[in-house]
Amino acid sequence: MAELSAVRATVLTSSKVNAMDLWRRWEAMKSARALWEFDYQDIINYLIPGADDILHWRAPGMSRTEYIFDSRVLTYPQTLAANMQGAVTNPALQWFRLKFRLDALNKMQHVNGWLQACDETMLDVYNASNFYQASHTYYVNLGGFGTAAMYCTARRHAPGVHLQFKTLATGTYGIAENSDGRVDTLFRECWFSPRQAYQLFGEGVSARTIERMHQPQAMDTPERYLHAVYPREGRRPNKVDNRNMPFVSAYQDGETKEIVQESGYEEFPYVVSRWETLSKSPLGFGPGHLALPDVRVLNKLTELNLEQLVLWARPPLRMLREGVVGSVSLEPYALNVVTQADALGPLDFTGRPDLVQIDKADLRQSLRDIFFIDALQGLPPPEASKMTAFEVAQRIEQMQRLMGPAFTRLLSEMLDPLADRVFGLLLRGRALPFPPQEVIEAARRNAGQLDVEYEGPLARAQRGTDLRAIGDVVNMGGQIVGLRQDMTVLDNIDWDEAYRHAAGVAGIPRALMRDARDVVILRQVRAQQQQQLQEAEARREDATAMGRVAPAIETLHQMTQPAMAA
């Protein structure tokens, strides 16, 4: 037991990356991934021909469509990706808002102003980077392969904070989960020429790389490296250096197995999403896997249909033995000399080509359903241009039901970690405004956790039930008040909180909402003004009454003066 404890202590306190252990773990990840690679290659062959091959190699410029006979299905993964980007991370909208987990901070207007400034800064950084280009490929991989991974880092040697995003090619990386089922480990293959490797890693590169860097025929030839990122065990949080950060970053030469650079990250730099997961693998399972049987059949039917068309256009001939003089010519208007009338003629074919067309139409519709092509249209189709507002709401609700599980996983595995990573990079780069004192105090108490609220059409559709519920309750309350002529039933609702919640769900800019404390002050001032107006009105009424009574008093006084004199 003592020896085991000593081993554990050595493992936890060691900060040195073991090169061979790193490579063995990568080999184990590749072995686990190999079970998926045949399906991945078929998805590439039939659905996403632009993706990098996995099981074989094709030079750039070589044909990538030799397996494809029906090209319409190639648009389905692209359409799903475009629908997801438009519904979740639409570049034309403010698709997220930061908020504090501590609701008291969210009710302070100056804190809301700081959050909005952070939102705008983050959106500007997203717009200035290649995020939207990389995210489209990310969504294509997620829908096609069921798993997608994106690398997020700050651009090297750039003034200010400029972010760079790279979606990893499927089949080039392996992942592992922690005990909560979240991906916190990623190993990937990357390729650098000797010249690039020296620029990135300096003197840490191997002697072989330095030698090849001075060879004109080898200095620009890419070579394999391994990049491993995983949680750091036994780190010292109080020690500020790159070897005590929460995550290890190690680059390893794929030929010599030497560690050429060891560093770290404050946040996990990779964003990894799965469409859905199986019980014994961290890799995802998505629409592309479900579509493979139908895609194979559809392409085979199209191939057979084309062969049938060739047979109908140029059918094989039947010929009596020695029934044709000379050789048979199939050229237009050719003359073939025969010894008898039926010596030469086409073979008769039986069959129903129209049935093949019906099967193909059914298969295409099945594939459209698998990729949510019809369900994820954000607007009603042209043939339904006269849809009512209720019908549009029902369509959005249907979209929410269909995409709900995948969207929830996308929030927790892509968008939340992405916001944490980008916020951390900007905060350390001093690109965000200085926070208010209340935020600093909350952070000191470990109560300043930030959450992300998403404002895309799909996110609003998911939260739209709150708006409808509030509207239904208000209408019901109005009916009860009308029937009973009693407004006490409305005391059950905190109308201020209901209105603020409805405004947040509707996506109203936070700068337009007053601080809750300012609302209280405004109401107190208004109540004082009303009280002053009432007191002034009362004084005016008293003065008016005195003005009416004064003449009568004066007359009475005059009438009583003579009597007193007598």
Side-chain angles (χ1 to χ4, degrees):
M1 184 65 68
E3 293 179 357
L4 180 60
S5 300
V7 170
R8 287 176 177 171
T10 302
V11 170
L12 291 178
T13 57
S14 175
S15 61
K16 184 67 175 177
V17 174
N18 186 295
M20 293 313 299
D21 287 348
L22 208 65
W23 194 259
R24 291 189 191 100
R25 190 176 184 188
W26 167 235
E27 292 293 334
M29 287 183 175
K30 286 200 299 182
S31 298
R33 192 190 66 204
L35 302 174
W36 297 80
E37 290 179 349
F38 293 98
D39 273 358
Y40 287 164
Q41 187 62 55
D42 276 353
I43 291 170
I44 293 170
N45 292 339
Y46 291 106
L47 285 169
I48 313 176
D52 291 345
D53 288 304
I54 298 174
L55 296 181
H56 57 262
W57 180 84
R58 279 181 280 201
M62 291 181 62
S63 174
R64 308 183 67 86
T65 57
E66 62 269 23
Y67 295 95
I68 298 171
F69 291 90
D70 192 315
S71 60
R72 274 174 284 189
V73 299
L74 301 182
T75 64
Y76 295 166
Q78 303 291 333
T79 302
L80 175 60
N83 282 326
M84 291 179 70
Q85 180 147 358
V88 179
T89 54
N90 193 326
L93 302 174
Q94 180 175 342
W95 46 270
F96 74 93
R97 297 198 304 178
L98 297 176
K99 68 175 184 178
F100 283 102
R101 197 168 299 172
L102 185 63
D103 196 49
L105 291 174
N106 297 323
K107 294 181 180 180
M108 300 179 184
Q109 184 58 24
H110 62 291
V111 173
N112 274 325
W114 177 76
L115 288 175
Q116 185 165 353
C118 293
D119 293 343
E120 294 171 354
T121 301
M122 291 176 68
L123 281 174
D124 289 342
V125 170
Y126 281 127
N127 292 332
S129 70
N130 65 329
F131 170 72
Y132 295 108
Q133 294 89 337
S135 62
H136 176 76
T137 307
Y138 186 92
Y139 293 131
V140 171
N141 289 350
L142 181 61
F145 302 104
T147 306
M150 180 191 296
Y151 181 51
C152 173
T153 186
R155 192 179 303 167
R156 297 169 63 90
H157 311 304
V161 179
H162 297 272
L163 301 186
Q164 190 169 10
F165 298 87
K166 178 180 175 59
T167 297
L168 307 185
T170 300
T172 63
Y173 61 88
I175 57 176
E177 300 174 324
N178 62 15
S179 59
D180 297 325
R182 298 182 68 92
V183 175
D184 65 351
T185 300
L186 189 145
F187 285 41
R188 70 179 176 105
E189 288 181 340
C190 44
W191 297 80
F192 305 116
S193 68
R195 186 169 65 94
Q196 293 170 335
Y198 186 78
Q199 291 172 347
L200 290 171
F201 310 126
E203 299 296 333
V205 298
S206 65
R208 174 182 175 276
T209 300
I210 294 177
E211 180 182 352
R212 292 175 63 83
M213 188 179 65
H214 294 92
Q215 299 173 0
Q217 72 275 15
M219 64 185 303
D220 294 315
T221 302
E223 296 180 340
R224 183 175 58 166
Y225 286 80
L226 173 67
H227 186 205
V229 179
Y230 54 94
R232 190 185 300 275
E233 302 290 347
R235 70 187 186 94
R236 300 174 183 175
N238 297 328
K239 190 174 181 180
V240 182
D241 62 11
N242 57 13
R243 295 200 177 190
N244 278 281
M245 291 181 178
F247 290 90
V248 176
S249 171
Y251 282 91
Q252 186 173 20
D253 190 314
E255 294 295 329
T256 65
K257 306 300 185 291
E258 297 178 32
I259 301 296
V260 297
Q261 186 188 75
E262 182 183 348
S263 183
Y265 293 105
E266 292 286 352
E267 305 91 11
F268 189 54
Y270 292 103
V271 179
V272 182
S273 299
R274 284 78 56 83
W275 189 273
E276 59 179 292
T277 56
L278 303 179
S279 59
K280 296 182 180 180
S281 174
L283 295 171
F285 185 88
H289 295 89
L290 298 176
L292 270 181
D294 285 350
V295 171
R296 292 191 186 104
V297 173
L298 179 60
N299 276 277
K300 192 63 178 179
L301 285 177
T302 305
E303 182 183 4
L304 294 175
N305 195 27
L306 292 172
E307 291 177 356
Q308 188 178 42
L309 288 175
V310 173
L311 290 174
W312 278 89
R314 292 185 176 182
L317 301 177
R318 59 176 177 81
M319 182 179 66
L320 291 176
R321 186 175 183 180
E322 298 180 355
V324 178
V325 178
S327 60
V328 176
S329 176
L330 299 179
E331 296 294 328
Y333 303 107
L335 295 177
N336 291 289
V337 180
V338 298
T339 59
Q340 62 185 62
D342 58 348
L344 181 66
L347 290 174
D348 293 331
F349 290 96
T350 59
R352 294 283 305 279
D354 55 316
L355 294 180
V356 177
Q357 299 292 338
I358 294 174
D359 290 340
K360 288 169 64 176
D362 292 343
L363 287 169
R364 289 194 189 99
Q365 186 57 50
S366 173
L367 291 169
R368 291 178 67 87
D369 293 340
I370 289 173
F371 285 99
F372 307 99
I373 301 301
D374 298 322
L376 281 183
Q377 297 297 327
L379 296 174
E383 61 271 16
S385 57
K386 295 184 179 180
M387 292 177 70
T388 65
F390 175 76
E391 290 170 334
V392 173
Q394 291 296 106
R395 185 177 179 83
I396 293 176
E397 189 172 344
Q398 179 187 9
M399 177 178 67
Q400 172 193 347
R401 288 197 300 269
L402 290 171
M403 283 294 295
F407 177 67
T408 302
R409 183 179 284 274
L410 195 66
L411 288 182
S412 63
E413 293 191 343
M414 176 196 176
L415 300 180
D416 286 345
L418 178 67
D420 290 342
R421 174 65 173 161
V422 172
F423 186 87
L425 288 172
L426 296 182
L427 185 65
R428 290 189 295 275
R430 300 184 180 181
L432 297 177
F434 193 78
Q437 187 62 35
E438 291 86 352
V439 175
I440 298 174
E441 292 297 330
R444 288 174 180 169
R445 301 193 309 270
N446 200 25
Q449 294 89 349
L450 278 171
D451 288 332
V452 184
E453 191 171 68
Y454 296 95
E455 297 297 322
L458 193 54
R460 290 185 184 179
Q462 284 195 317
R463 297 198 303 270
T465 53
D466 288 354
L467 279 178
R468 290 193 291 274
I470 292 173
D472 292 343
V473 169
V474 170
N475 291 333
M476 182 182 297
Q479 293 173 2
I480 294 174
V481 170
L483 290 173
R484 298 179 57 187
Q485 297 298 311
D486 183 4
M487 297 187 64
T488 56
V489 68
L490 301 182
D491 295 339
N492 290 283
I493 301 294
D494 187 338
W495 294 105
D496 283 348
E497 285 300 319
Y499 185 78
R500 297 180 76 89
H501 180 69
V505 170
I508 186 173
R510 285 182 290 203
L512 301 181
M513 295 295 295
R514 285 195 174 98
D515 192 307
R517 294 176 299 184
D518 293 341
V519 172
V520 173
I521 295 172
L522 181 64
R523 288 175 177 173
Q524 291 174 349
V525 171
R526 186 183 296 131
Q528 292 174 358
Q529 292 175 344
Q530 290 178 348
Q531 183 177 0
Q532 291 172 359
L533 288 174
Q534 291 173 356
E535 291 175 354
E537 184 64 24
R539 287 194 295 269
R540 282 197 297 271
E541 290 178 357
D542 292 343
T544 301
M546 289 298 296
R548 289 194 299 267
V549 173
I553 294 176
E554 181 65 24
T555 302
L556 180 61
H557 178 72
Q558 292 175 358
M559 291 175 63
T560 56
Q561 284 296 333
M564 292 177 64

